[in-house]
Amino acid sequence: MREFWQNYIDGAWCDGGAGRIDVIDPGNGTVLAVHALADTADVDRAVRAAERVHASRVLVDMRPMERGRMVQEMGRWLLAHLDEIAEVLTREQGKPLWEAEIEVKGAALYFEYYGNQASTVEGKSIPLGAGYFDWTVNEPFGVSAQIIPWNYPLEMTARGVAAALATGNACAIKSSELTPLINGYIAKAAEAAGFPAGTVNVLCGLGQDAGAAMVSHPGVRQIVFTGSVRTGIAIATAAAQNVVPCVLELGGKSAAIVHDDADLEAFENDIRWGIYFNAGQVCSAMSRVIVHESRRDELVERAKNVAQSLSVGPGIERTEAGANMGAMVSEAQRDRAAGMVQEAEAQGARVVSGGRKLNRPGAFLEPTVLDGVTSDMTIAQEEVFGPVLSVMSFRDDAEAIEIANSTEYGLVGGVFTRDLDRATRVAQRMRAGQVFVNEWYAGGIETPFGGFGKSGYGREKGREALWNYVQTKNIAVKLG
Ligand code: NAD
């Protein structure tokens, strides 16, 4: 592992005006590497470089299919370096190595998918009668600022950057101060694909400092953010000052409604992936299960078995896909999650399994199942962002929907039943941007993703996301 990692601004690797920051390996608590820390002057240089690239029209004038090929090349570059990238990701983020490999492949998929879409961002012609010819074009905003979270630092960056570049924008990226190493590979991929210097700029900086400077920079024309509601509000407020649109993806408290006719054996798999993948640090995690009271005891027993089947420890030792879980991203996040479990217990929930920190160095929390959770408890309302499943129960469909919709969030939801009519009715009434029926995470990169309520606005993934990165221009010609 290289000891010192730098920012990438205007095609050059450079130190940061704010000094350096230690990157901790959450799998053992030691310092993994040191990263340059950007200050506001670095942010200014990055945004100016991206502005210059946009003003040169090099990306805009390129045939979109050609630009799309370069975007796809970035994905191929990531795959060609999969082993190295996955190891760095595991060491700085904590997830098992096989999960890191999934993330690298997922990131590559975004470049493949959006690279393919570059030539499809078509306008239309609008009939105005014989005296005029009128058409629309979809122009890039210019500089897209992307503020990156630490839970899927490579995949989230790929998601925004691939769509931004495919539509002809240049990017200023601020990586999370907890997981900055991995985003250097996005810069390398852009360089390898042949994008001109200044097209993709990647810097690590503190949220309050470099992050705040980036989202309020007058050269930024569009903002993409994934993270907490509190930071999302700060970013939207800064964006409003410059009248700049943003896409906000702010997490959730997503619920699966499990009906009395559901296949609970199959549902074990949904528990395994829905709440223990990436140690539960997933915005669309299945953090609440609302089960019909007649199946509650069986479900709780099965959830306990799933939780207890997972071997928890350093991600770097967990190379094979299977029943295992890595560290959380930091001890602070782990302590916060453990504190929320204690609070839930104090408010009347029952810890069926887990809930404690592991007695070893690193940011480990036991896979946790809580039973007897009710909507008035903090744990039912606030995002834990950890491996903690809350089980709640209902008597009839109306109550299930009421409980599911009882938070300020609305990212995703799930319905589990053999009755498709019932599933459809419940899905129609769920306040969520995406509903999974009989498989948590059904869908994919092609399906639009984003929240209702405080889960944010704008959509990522799918073709729908492309429209976040372009603005309509109408051109009307008076014919002679
Ligand atoms: P955060 O929202 O504060 O940080 C996310 C990113 O925003 C980081 O890159 C950070 O540097 C940056 N940032 C912080 N303040 C900023 C500002 N004023 N202007 C611009 N950028 C700023 O998240 P966190 O503190 O790391 O985690 C806290 C909680 O947020 C978690 O427990 C979890 O509930 C939630 N979270 C959700 C997601 C998600 O995928 N939805 C991801 C990360 C965290």
Side-chain angles (χ1 to χ4, degrees):
M1 178 70 68
R2 206 165 70 237
E3 269 174 38
F4 178 50
W5 298 60
Q6 291 176 300
N7 296 321
Y8 184 77
I9 301 176
D10 204 3
W13 297 96
C14 47
D15 289 351
R20 296 179 176 197
I21 189 168
D22 287 346
V23 181
I24 308 296
D25 180 342
N28 60 23
T30 64
V31 175
L32 174 66
V34 174
H35 201 292
L37 202 59
D39 65 3
T40 53
D42 296 318
V43 170
D44 184 59
R45 282 199 304 124
V47 175
R48 299 266 176 237
E51 265 189 309
R52 191 199 66 234
V53 170
H54 180 64
S56 76
R57 297 192 62 85
V58 58
L59 299 176
V60 183
D61 288 346
M62 198 182 286
R63 190 166 180 166
M65 196 178 287
E66 185 54 34
R67 208 168 54 225
R69 267 193 212 121
M70 292 165 76
V71 172
Q72 291 198 317
E73 182 53 32
M74 289 179 69
R76 282 193 288 270
W77 189 91
L78 293 179
L79 291 179
H81 297 82
L82 184 133
D83 290 348
E84 178 187 339
I85 299 172
E87 184 180 336
V88 171
L89 182 54
T90 285
R91 288 197 186 276
E92 76 169 342
Q93 203 275 342
K95 65 186 67 190
L97 192 60
W98 62 272
E99 287 194 26
E101 288 167 4
I102 291 177
E103 181 169 345
V104 179
K105 289 176 189 164
L109 206 57
Y110 280 111
F111 289 107
E112 182 183 349
Y113 178 76
Y114 284 116
N116 238 328
Q117 308 278 340
S119 54
T120 70
V121 187
E122 298 169 346
K124 59 185 173 189
S125 95
I126 298 170
L128 292 177
Y132 295 89
F133 183 57
D134 186 287
W135 76 97
T136 65
V137 286
N138 294 296
E139 289 197 353
F141 280 100
V143 180
S144 170
Q146 314 218 348
I147 308 291
I148 308 300
W150 41 257
N151 56 335
Y152 284 94
L154 190 71
E155 213 173 336
M156 299 298 94
T157 310
R159 184 168 83 181
V161 169
L165 293 177
T167 45
N169 296 276
C171 299
I173 300 162
K174 193 203 78 65
S175 52
S176 165
E177 51 272 50
L178 293 177
T179 55
L181 307 184
I182 206 69
N183 286 135
Y185 291 100
I186 294 284
K188 288 185 178 193
E191 198 175 71
F195 280 105
T199 305
V200 173
N201 304 276
V202 182
L203 42 84
C204 166
L206 301 179
Q208 300 293 346
D209 183 9
M214 189 177 283
V215 295
S216 57
H217 196 292
V220 165
R221 297 285 171 217
Q222 186 254 8
I223 299 169
V224 182
F225 171 70
T226 301
S228 63
V229 174
R230 192 169 51 89
T231 302
I233 292 170
I235 288 176
T237 305
Q241 299 301 319
N242 288 331
V243 196
V244 162
C246 37
V247 181
L248 300 178
E249 203 265 271
L250 308 179
K253 192 76 214 179
S254 301
I257 295 178
V258 180
H259 287 284
D260 52 6
D261 62 348
D263 179 348
L264 291 195
E265 191 181 342
F267 190 67
E268 286 186 10
N269 212 32
D270 299 288
I271 295 171
R272 194 266 169 271
W273 291 101
I275 191 64
Y276 301 127
F277 193 54
N278 204 24
Q281 301 162 115
V282 184
C283 39
S284 48
M286 187 180 75
S287 53
R288 292 183 296 153
V289 168
I290 308 168
V291 59
H292 189 266
E293 57 184 2
S294 65
R295 305 293 299 280
R296 175 186 183 156
D297 290 349
E298 187 193 343
L299 185 136
V300 167
E301 187 61 24
R302 286 182 184 274
K304 183 174 117 184
N305 291 342
V306 172
Q308 293 183 353
S309 73
L310 301 176
S311 117
V312 184
I316 204 69
E317 294 167 11
R318 280 152 180 75
T319 56
E320 299 296 324
N324 58 57
M325 195 178 87
M328 292 181 66
V329 73
S330 68
E331 292 187 17
Q333 279 295 314
R334 190 271 316 271
D335 292 348
R336 178 177 170 276
M340 288 183 77
V341 172
Q342 276 181 352
E343 190 183 356
E345 217 178 348
Q347 291 179 0
R350 184 168 70 90
V351 180
V352 175
S353 191
R356 291 166 308 187
K357 308 172 190 181
L358 292 201
N359 186 20
R360 60 178 298 165
F364 297 102
L365 183 68
E366 291 173 334
T368 303
V369 178
L370 297 175
D371 188 19
V373 173
T374 50
S375 288
D376 54 336
M377 295 179 187
T378 312
I379 198 98
Q381 297 297 326
E382 290 182 11
E383 190 170 41
V384 177
F385 226 61
V388 180
L389 181 72
S390 293
V391 180
M392 312 171 81
S393 66
F394 71 92
R395 280 181 295 267
D396 57 41
D397 290 13
E399 190 188 16
I401 293 162
E402 189 189 321
I403 296 171
N405 291 344
S406 68
T407 77
E408 291 189 312
Y409 289 108
L411 192 55
V412 302
V415 193
F416 292 78
T417 173
R418 291 186 164 96
D419 178 345
L420 194 56
D421 287 348
R422 181 185 233 174
T424 308
R425 273 195 303 274
V426 172
Q428 285 171 338
R429 286 166 179 70
M430 269 188 147
R431 199 166 62 95
Q434 188 171 21
V435 179
F436 311 124
V437 177
N438 289 337
E439 185 188 70
W440 198 264
Y441 296 138
I445 183 173
E446 308 92 333
T447 54
F449 168 72
F452 285 18
K454 288 206 174 153
S455 290
Y457 46 74
R459 292 294 175 265
E460 304 276 10
K461 299 186 175 173
R463 280 184 57 71
E464 198 162 330
L466 285 169
W467 311 118
N468 296 322
Y469 295 87
V470 291
Q471 47 197 341
T472 305
K473 179 187 275 182
N474 187 79
I475 302 169
V477 180
K478 168 85 177 84
L479 301 175

